[in-house]
Amino acid sequence: MTTAINIDDVSMTYTTGKVSNHVLDRISYEVQEHDFVSIVGPSGVGKTTLLRLLTGLMPPTSGKIVIDGKAISGPPEGLAVVLQDYTRSLMPWLNVEKNLAMPLKRLKVPRAEMKVRIDEALEEVGLGGQNKRYPWQLSGGMQQRVSIARALATRPKILVMDEPFASVDAQTRFSLEDLVLKIRADYGITTLMVTHDIDEAVYLSDHIIVLHGKPAKVSDLVTVDLPFPRSQVQTRNDHRFAALRTRVYEQVQGLASTEPEGA
Amino acid sequence: MTLNLNNRFVRFFIGAWVPVLIIYIWWTWSATSGNPYFPPLSEIWAMFQYLWIFDNVPTNLVPTLQNLFVGLALGITLGVLIGAHLGLSRYATRMFMPIIDFIRSIPAIAKVPVFIIFFGIDSVMRIAVITFVVMFPVMVATIQAVRSTDETLIDTARAFKLSNFQILWQVRLPSASPQLFAAFQLAVQIAFLVAIAAEILGAGFGLGAFTKIAQDSFLIVEMWTGVILIGLVGYALFLAFEIVERYVLRWYYGAKKIDA
């Protein structure tokens, strides 16, 4: 196994004037290639802060994030993002295919290949043939699919998602979760996802990082050994699923005993 | 029975009958007018055909429109370019805003004499003054527009490694296009006002000059044809602008319709 992302002793303190807010305290974790890792924690714990550090949108106060053997100093090459608020992350003046083309143009993908990649990515997310529609002509779930397709079309090595399904209804959420599992099975992209939904984290992940406290530390690392392929009905009824979600829930709430867990 | 306003023909006829009525009233009431200042509309119409279809078009209408379009294009381009770069720097905005606001506060017509001093009264002066008066409102709108872009859109673009320059042209300016178009519309109005005013103040040729000279020479019927033509040109500009705006901002109006 190779390390895809090395989160190395990362701390973050926001300073505005004389007020400083210590959000993350010495977070370390190594994300292995092809793994699906979720970051969970109570709201306001600093999940999104950690995600912004991972995407290089801002630098940590101390520590470093190493991708491909280099400490990043900005958004790294080969990383794609899907943000929570799809209504504000797709460009409303561009149709679906032009939204997908925007990062590809930056990558200088030749025109013919661009077309192939866009069609393939839209097909993958179940939106084949919707190239010419505008975001506002699509439902919330479909817009989030476009956002995922835009990330896929860049052929990323790492996919980072911030609460990707927080703004859609429950039914749509389940189908988007299954879409993410399918993408994972098809492409094996290393994926990091921030979520406040514990069930979702257990359902999708190989590993879960639980953040807790103020400033936030890693309070638990949970390995999800549920078999693939997973399904909304069977996996969620598995007694191991229940045990894992209980464990994560207690950690998120800070209810867990300090005793080390038995085997 | 209620009229269906969604039908474009219904809309057209509702909007059309009032002007038709006014023209009819004007035509009949002025028919026997002996007042030299309010000649019969029939006389004005005859003179209009004689003058403007199309003898005076190349000498008096074309130059006005040429200056207007060249000045508008230059002013909008400069306004957007300068505004976009000033807007991205908080220091630059702070530094230049007071002087921009001061120059903006001088009514557009009052700027014309200054330009006559520098550029004389020919086309160069007219284009220069239109460019200048158009530039400021566009610049101010652009400064505000590029500063108010949604942070999520910018984060998305940054995460996909677009450069600041690409983010300006591909994210900030397009996302501000509804506000920019509102400024462009204002720019068209000011440009037309100043185009005519510059011709009236610095007489020579052009629609404004023609109307002013006719008035000074007591050619009242000719003057009326000038005023009416200025109105028609202004209205045509307004309609043309709306068509362009509706087309360019179709994404915006489409999204708004869904929200409503």
Side-chain angles (χ1 to χ4, degrees):
Chain A
M1 289 251 260
T2 5
T3 304
I5 309 171
N6 184 8
I7 306 167
D8 185 9
D9 204 21
V10 165
S11 296
M12 184 67 199
T13 304
Y14 290 103
T15 310
T16 20
K18 287 188 175 160
V19 189
S20 65
N21 183 12
H22 191 181
V23 181
L24 298 176
D25 187 43
R26 306 193 62 179
I27 310 282
S28 288
Y29 185 80
E30 285 184 21
V31 181
Q32 301 304 319
E33 222 168 64
H34 309 303
D35 268 4
F36 194 116
V37 177
S38 291
I39 301 166
V40 299
S43 53
V45 77
K47 301 187 292 283
T48 297
T49 298
L50 181 55
L51 186 125
R52 285 178 63 86
L53 299 178
L54 289 169
T55 50
L57 286 171
M58 62 185 186
T61 319
S62 70
K64 57 186 190 291
I65 287 152
V66 181
I67 294 175
D68 275 343
K70 280 184 311 224
I72 61 168
S73 61
E77 207 59 72
L79 179 146
V81 293
V82 174
L83 298 176
Q84 171 185 352
D85 199 343
Y86 51 81
T87 55
R88 289 158 59 207
S89 86
L90 295 174
M91 312 293 153
W93 58 91
L94 297 179
N95 65 23
V96 166
E97 111 189 329
K98 285 183 178 156
N99 262 291
L100 265 63
M102 191 188 237
L104 301 182
K105 277 187 194 152
R106 204 275 306 163
L107 288 164
K108 300 205 164 58
V109 176
R111 190 163 282 278
E113 193 195 331
M114 201 184 280
K115 174 98 183 81
V116 173
R117 283 206 203 182
I118 288 171
D119 289 346
E120 188 191 309
L122 287 176
E123 204 62 55
E124 175 75 16
V125 301
L127 288 177
Q130 307 280 355
N131 304 43
K132 301 289 180 196
R133 299 184 78 184
Y134 282 85
W136 43 269
Q137 294 172 316
L138 304 171
S139 69
M142 285 161 96
Q143 289 183 47
Q144 198 57 301
R145 283 168 193 265
V146 175
S147 192
I148 293 168
R150 178 175 59 185
L152 288 181
T154 65
R155 306 261 163 90
K157 282 200 278 192
I158 299 168
L159 179 63
V160 174
M161 302 194 283
D162 183 13
E163 304 258 6
F165 315 129
S167 334
V168 297
D169 64 78
Q171 285 308 312
T172 309
R173 191 182 184 107
F174 288 147
S175 71
L176 286 171
E177 286 169 6
D178 288 337
L179 171 66
V180 166
L181 284 177
K182 168 168 145 327
I183 288 168
R184 209 236 147 141
D186 290 352
Y187 299 105
I189 303 167
T190 309
T191 308
L192 266 157
M193 177 179 76
V194 158
T195 180
H196 63 258
D197 185 325
I198 292 161
D199 288 48
E200 179 171 286
V202 174
Y203 182 59
L204 295 176
S205 309
D206 300 308
H207 300 280
I208 299 172
I209 305 173
V210 184
L211 296 182
H212 190 80
K214 199 156 180 61
K217 293 172 187 295
V218 176
S219 75
D220 197 7
L221 295 171
V222 180
T223 298
V224 182
D225 46 8
L226 299 169
F228 288 93
R230 294 177 185 174
S231 95
Q232 294 285 359
V233 177
Q234 270 148 31
T235 307
R236 284 177 191 264
N237 280 330
D238 194 318
H239 69 278
R240 283 172 298 174
F241 183 90
L244 284 163
R245 73 181 289 277
T246 306
R247 174 170 164 194
V248 176
Y249 178 79
E250 286 176 347
Q251 286 292 340
V252 168
Q253 298 296 319
L255 300 174
S257 63
T258 47
E259 302 288 315
E261 205 180 357
Chain B
M1 190 193 89
T2 49
L3 287 167
N4 178 13
L5 276 173
N6 292 324
N7 184 310
R8 54 193 303 177
F9 292 104
V10 172
R11 275 206 308 265
F12 176 78
F13 283 111
I14 287 180
W17 73 267
V18 176
V20 168
L21 183 70
I22 289 174
I23 292 168
Y24 175 76
I25 293 171
W26 186 0
W27 188 279
T28 46
W29 281 9
S30 67
T32 55
S33 169
N35 184 333
Y37 298 109
F38 297 101
L41 187 53
S42 53
E43 245 176 71
I44 298 173
W45 173 230
M47 181 61 79
F48 189 95
Q49 288 171 290
Y50 173 70
L51 286 176
W52 297 111
I53 306 176
F54 293 92
D55 279 2
N56 276 284
V57 168
T59 49
N60 281 315
L61 180 58
V62 171
T64 304
L65 291 178
Q66 253 170 12
N67 296 341
L68 181 73
F69 288 127
V70 174
L72 261 176
L74 284 173
I76 287 178
T77 310
L78 286 172
V80 169
L81 285 178
I82 299 172
H85 290 91
L86 284 184
L88 289 183
S89 157
R90 230 187 275 203
Y91 295 105
T93 308
R94 267 287 151 81
M95 227 187 296
F96 291 105
M97 225 38 214
I99 186 71
I100 291 171
D101 281 334
F102 174 76
I103 294 171
R104 216 156 56 104
S105 306
I106 303 170
I109 295 177
K111 291 169 185 156
V112 177
V114 180
F115 280 82
I116 293 178
I117 292 174
F118 283 112
F119 294 99
I121 58 165
D122 60 4
S123 288
V124 176
M125 177 280 279
R126 297 175 194 182
I127 289 171
V129 69
I130 294 169
T131 304
F132 192 77
V133 296
V134 159
M135 198 173 85
F136 280 87
V138 171
M139 197 158 77
V140 171
T142 311
I143 289 173
Q144 281 160 359
V146 297
R147 297 174 68 100
S148 60
T149 315
D150 195 310
E151 286 301 320
T152 309
L153 286 182
I154 293 175
D155 274 354
T156 307
R158 279 184 60 208
F160 284 116
K161 290 185 75 70
L162 269 70
S163 66
N164 286 337
F165 183 79
Q166 289 168 322
I167 290 175
L168 174 63
W169 287 96
Q170 295 179 36
V171 182
R172 288 181 192 270
L173 288 174
S175 100
S177 52
Q179 296 94 293
L180 291 181
F181 262 85
F184 296 164
Q185 184 164 35
L186 183 69
V188 172
Q189 288 165 10
I190 302 175
F192 189 52
L193 173 93
V194 168
I196 300 297
E199 289 172 353
I200 289 176
L201 291 173
F205 53 89
L207 258 186
F210 172 89
T211 309
K212 172 72 171 145
I213 292 167
Q215 188 217 338
D216 289 347
S217 323
F218 223 71
L219 299 165
I220 300 303
V221 179
E222 286 82 347
M223 181 205 82
W224 276 102
T225 66
V227 173
I228 289 169
L229 186 58
I230 289 172
L232 291 176
V233 170
Y235 191 53
L237 281 175
F238 168 77
L239 290 181
F241 184 88
E242 273 219 326
I243 290 169
V244 173
E245 188 199 23
R246 283 272 155 188
Y247 179 74
V248 176
L249 296 184
R250 60 195 184 283
W251 63 271
Y252 176 72
Y253 290 109
K256 249 180 34 177
K257 218 191 271 172
I258 304 282
D259 281 345

